Structures are given as structure tokens and as C-alpha cells.
Amino acid sequence: MIPAFDLKRQNRSLSGELTRAMTEVIEAGQFILGGTVAAFEEEIAGALDVTHAVGVANGSDALYLALLAAGVGPGDEVVTTPFTFFATAGSISRVGAKPVFSDVDRDTFNMDPAKALAQVSPRTRAMLPVHLFGLMVDMAPLLAGFAGTVIEDAAQAIGARRDGYRAGSAGAMGCFSFFPTKNLGAFGDGGVVTTQDGSLAEALRILRTHGSRRKYLHERFGVNSRLDALQAAVLRVKLPHLADWTARRQAIAARYTAGFSALGVSEVLPPAVPAGSVHVFHQYTVRAERRDALKAHLNQAGIGSTVYYPVPLHLQPVFAELGYGPGDFPASEELSRTALSLPVFPELVDDEVDAVIEAVAAFYGHGY
Ligand SMILES: Cc1ncc(COP(=O)(O)O)c(C=O)c1O
């Protein structure tokens, strides 16, 4: 059995350290904010090359709080893509603003800057590009062409780079998730907002504790959304391994791409890596002919795979009121029918990668 993802392998190799780190928190009795969270915030800021990192309860709240901190609210529009996880657009609705969708580029799965800029109206307050599957959006034209706030949904892209930009430090704020299956995963939910701007960092810190700087004195409406100290302790153990884990993901991706090419599997298009990009392969997502049949074949062979995302956001029932319909975003709709994510996680061994390549090749009648 080759699972789509296996967290147990990673946890097993670090279990002594993780247990010690969590025990320290339990013995200190400081579970909400405090030294462990502050230390992690400092470490992750250093790793991501930003001046501020504000730990929050999850990646969805990171997006919500970033939009609130930017002053986005009712009457505002925010441009984003429909081929992403629900939370991206959900966060825009959550602050009372209107998501405006712009189709993705079918080769990169990511926001097409020219198309996104064409959606800007006098009401557009922010742009919310998503660095999907670990590949950064082409930020330079977006930043050059849009005068409002750019907030990066970097939930899947920790450590990614492109043209001198790093995920989470190109726009005004970057939003990351530490959901257990992410490249840097906690033992539960967690997230962080990064920024180079001290006043935004302060706003985020206030917003995550009910709009209060001093206990029981509330300056604005905020929420309760903090990164738990126990999660911060887990993340502090894992963070020093992230660079190696990312390198292993990249090696697996390269092995897949070379393997499909060597076996002449032209029915599968490997993920694009545009020049100047460092892809961190949160997912290795191919575009596949007869995707659903391929997935069933892999499943039969004991190989896990995942469909991200089967229904683009403009066709989700909850967004019906936005008035979009089938055919509005052809690339996103096509990808929802063709994209398939193959197993990629640092502990996956080469023999397993080769077995996946061979199973894909066999499905299309190629191979040895
Ligand atoms: C692109 C994207 N945005 C936002 C989120 C939300 O993160 P979380 O699950 O931590 O709330 C996720 C992850 O689930 C994601 O993949």
C-alpha cells in the first residue's frame, strides 16, 4: 500500500523530540501564547525572511485576520481564483466583502496576473493570489499592476520562491497553514500571518485576541484565534527539518517527471515549474487523460491519490449568489476534471515512487 500521505512515518522518526517538547509545555503550564509561541514566531519569521509572524489558530483564520487587518469589509471586492481550497474565497465572504473570481492559468494552476488585473474595479480593495500546490504565483506583474493590498494565500507554499520573492513576503501579508498534512504540519490546526509591516503585525496581534491589547480593554472587534503553545512546540521541533523535507519532495517530483517522460506517458502532463521558480511540491499534481479511471486503477493497485479540487469555487452552492455559472472559468473547470495529485511526502522512498510511475504507465499501456 502506498498512501497519498503518511504522517506516521514522519512522527515516528521525531517522536522522542516531539514528546519532550510537548512535555516541557505541559510542565510550564503556559498553553495560550507565552514564550513557546513567541519563540516559534521569531523562528518562523527568520526562516521566511519576514520581520513579523503572528501565530493564529489555523490557515483559514490567517486569511480572515489578514483581510480584517487590511481593512477589507462590506462593499469591497477581492480578486482571487476559483481553483483553490474553499477557505481562500470563504475568508473574503467572512469579512463581508465580495469574492471576484479570475481564471487560473491551466499550466501552473495559479492566478494569471493579466486576467486578475482585468477584474480590478473601483471597488477592488485587495488581491488574494494562491500559491497552489507549492508553486508561487508570478507576483511581479501583480504587484506592479495593482495599487491595493496583496495578501498571499501561502497555505501550501512554505519555503517557495520565485524571481527573488519568497512566499509570504511578496505582498503586504502572507497566510500559512500548519494543518497536519501541510509541508510543515502541527498536531492539529495552526497557522501564521507574516508581514514586513509593524503596524499590520500589531493589528493582527490585537485582532487575534478579541481586539484587545490590554486584558479586558477592547479597541475593536476581533476573534479568539491563537496558535496553541503545544502546536508551537511541535512546530519548533519540525521547522529545522523543513529544508531537507522540501528537498526530498523536490527530488520525488523530479523522479516522477523523469519517469513519466522515460516511459513515454504522454497522457499525463507533469506540473510546470516556470523559470525562476522554486516549487516546494506540497502536491505533485498532474493533468491526466481519463483522470477518474486512472485514480480507480491506482486505487486497485493499492496506491493513494487525491483530487484537488473536484468542484471549482464559482460552482459551489454557497457562492451561487455571486451569479457565476458553468463555462465562466474554463481552465479551472477543466482542471477540476483532469488534475490528480500523486503521493508526495518526504518519507516516500524511491521504490514507492517508481511503483507509482509504473502503475500510471501500465494504465495507459506503456511500460516494460
Ligand atoms: C490554499 C489553502 N488556503 C487555506 C487553507 C486553510 O488552512 P486551514 O486548513 O489551516 O484552515 C488551506 C488548507 O487547508 C489551503 O490549502
Side-chain angles (χ1 to χ4, degrees):
M1 180 71 204
I2 302 175
F5 188 83
D6 184 357
L7 211 49
K8 292 193 285 295
R9 298 191 199 180
Q10 185 176 96
N11 294 337
R12 231 178 273 132
S13 73
L14 294 175
S15 78
E17 261 187 279
L18 288 163
T19 307
R20 256 193 314 282
M22 287 189 287
T23 304
E24 274 172 27
V25 173
I26 293 165
E27 284 174 357
Q30 172 76 53
F31 297 105
I32 304 295
L33 299 180
T36 309
V37 173
F40 173 69
E41 288 177 335
E42 200 168 301
E43 288 160 7
I44 190 97
L48 297 174
D49 210 15
V50 290
T51 39
H52 307 280
V54 180
V56 298
N58 52 66
S60 306
D61 280 3
L63 291 163
Y64 171 65
L65 292 169
L67 288 162
L68 279 183
V72 178
D76 295 330
E77 294 179 355
V78 179
V79 178
T80 193
T81 42
F83 190 68
T84 176
F85 180 60
F86 173 76
T88 309
S91 67
I92 299 168
S93 298
R94 231 175 132 191
V95 298
K98 180 180 168 194
V100 173
F101 292 120
S102 167
D103 207 1
V104 292
D105 171 79
R106 48 165 69 62
D107 293 330
T108 62
F109 309 102
N110 271 341
M111 177 177 271
D112 176 331
K115 286 191 180 141
L117 289 169
Q119 295 294 331
V120 171
S121 81
R123 288 173 179 264
T124 309
R125 193 57 196 275
M127 287 257 190
L128 189 38
V130 186
H131 306 314
L132 204 71
F133 301 149
L135 174 70
M136 269 191 87
V137 170
D138 188 7
M139 293 301 289
L142 212 57
L143 295 168
F146 181 61
T149 307
V150 176
I151 298 170
E152 297 166 73
D153 183 340
Q156 302 185 3
I158 193 163
R161 282 181 274 140
R162 183 163 183 165
D163 302 330
Y165 293 108
R166 294 181 73 103
S169 68
M173 284 172 275
C175 303
F176 294 86
S177 163
F178 303 124
F179 186 81
T181 58
K182 292 291 192 277
N183 288 23
L184 180 65
F187 281 0
D189 284 310
V192 76
V193 185
T194 54
T195 181
Q196 311 279 25
D197 180 329
S199 57
L200 283 175
E202 192 177 1
L204 289 161
R205 287 183 198 284
I206 293 170
L207 286 165
R208 75 174 169 180
T209 33
H210 286 305
S212 121
R213 201 185 309 253
R214 264 184 33 220
K215 214 167 184 183
Y216 305 128
L217 195 65
H218 302 273
E219 300 169 27
R220 57 188 294 185
F221 287 105
V223 291
N224 174 5
S225 182
R226 278 105 34 148
L227 178 68
D228 285 336
L230 275 169
Q231 302 303 348
V234 168
L235 293 165
R236 290 188 76 197
V237 170
K238 291 189 171 192
L239 181 58
H241 298 278
L242 181 62
D244 286 345
W245 289 338
T246 300
R248 177 63 192 148
R249 286 175 180 273
Q250 291 161 338
I252 292 168
R255 196 174 182 89
Y256 273 131
T257 298
F260 293 135
S261 161
L263 293 182
V265 188
S266 56
E267 298 86 348
V268 154
L269 293 176
V273 184
S277 303
V278 176
H279 195 318
V280 296
F281 290 102
H282 173 57
Q283 300 296 341
Y284 181 88
T285 306
V286 299
R287 289 178 284 158
E289 287 177 21
R290 293 184 285 133
R291 190 267 318 268
D292 293 336
L294 171 63
K295 183 171 175 24
H297 167 82
L298 293 176
N299 195 39
Q300 283 278 313
I303 295 168
S305 63
T306 315
V307 172
Y308 300 112
Y309 296 90
V311 182
L313 298 186
H314 67 288
L315 301 179
Q316 293 288 347
V318 71
F319 288 129
E321 64 185 31
L322 297 175
Y324 295 110
D328 283 345
F329 302 109
S332 297
E333 290 169 33
E334 179 189 309
L335 293 172
S336 70
R337 291 188 296 269
T338 61
L340 188 66
S341 298
L342 300 177
V344 61
F345 54 93
E347 298 75 20
L348 194 69
V349 299
D350 284 351
D351 282 351
E352 292 175 308
V353 179
D354 292 345
V356 177
I357 295 167
E358 279 159 30
V360 172
F363 173 74
Y364 293 110
H366 305 286
Y368 305 110

